Amino acid sequence: MGALRILAVDDSPTMRRIIINTLKRAGYDDVVEAEDGKDALAKLQVESVNFVITDWNMPEMDGLTFVANMRSIEKYKSVPVLMVTTRSMKEDIVEAMRAGVTNYIVKPFTPETLKAKIDQILAG
């Protein structure tokens, strides 16, 4: 896959900072930030990313709507998506997977969990 370019989508600047710092510690330095699904879709038009980490609950456009929209773009049909959210009900997880999410982490999470999920997804 070459160098990993990650799009981190979360309406909380603090959560984005935590994700980015965790990614840097895990050796992933190339991160593009977006503050909601709408912003993320705009970034996808101008940036080329090959991994997405997104929150679910966001204003403007939530994570599920964003993933569904992203999946409708040919270039991003198979890009891995890791959903990071406080929603932990089994139905929520099933709904996210149906929308095209590759994997799922419930907040709060540890840096080790985030890195392990990314590695797991990349190993396919």
Side-chain angles (χ1 to χ4, degrees):
M1 185 183 250
L4 203 58
R5 185 131 208 249
I6 300 173
L7 175 62
V9 190
D10 200 303
D11 57 318
S12 158
T14 306
M15 185 46 84
R16 280 200 312 271
R17 185 66 33 227
I18 290 167
I19 290 169
I20 289 162
N21 288 341
T22 301
L23 290 169
K24 282 191 179 3
R25 279 198 300 275
Y28 303 115
D29 292 328
D30 198 356
V31 183
V32 178
E33 291 183 60
E35 59 193 36
D36 59 46
K38 200 168 151 195
D39 185 30
L41 281 177
K43 296 268 166 65
L44 290 181
Q45 302 301 324
V46 294
E47 305 277 356
S48 197
V49 301
N50 48 15
F51 199 97
V52 174
I53 298 173
T54 185
D55 186 16
W56 184 324
N57 299 316
M58 298 180 286
E60 291 294 324
M61 182 187 292
D62 68 36
L64 273 197
T65 308
F66 160 62
V67 171
N69 277 286
M70 182 189 124
R71 291 294 186 218
S72 71
I73 302 167
E74 191 58 43
K75 179 179 172 185
Y76 294 109
K77 275 198 188 330
S78 61
V79 167
V81 177
L82 179 59
M83 176 82 63
V84 178
T85 180
T86 54
R87 298 173 75 146
S88 59
M89 300 292 291
K90 187 168 178 14
E91 303 80 61
D92 291 337
I93 297 168
V94 169
E95 189 180 350
M97 294 307 199
R98 241 185 245 130
V101 170
T102 313
N103 215 317
Y104 201 99
I105 295 180
V106 176
K107 294 177 187 172
F109 57 87
T110 64
E112 295 75 25
T113 303
L114 183 62
K115 182 177 180 349
K117 282 284 188 187
I118 292 170
D119 292 345
Q120 181 188 346
I121 291 169
L122 293 176

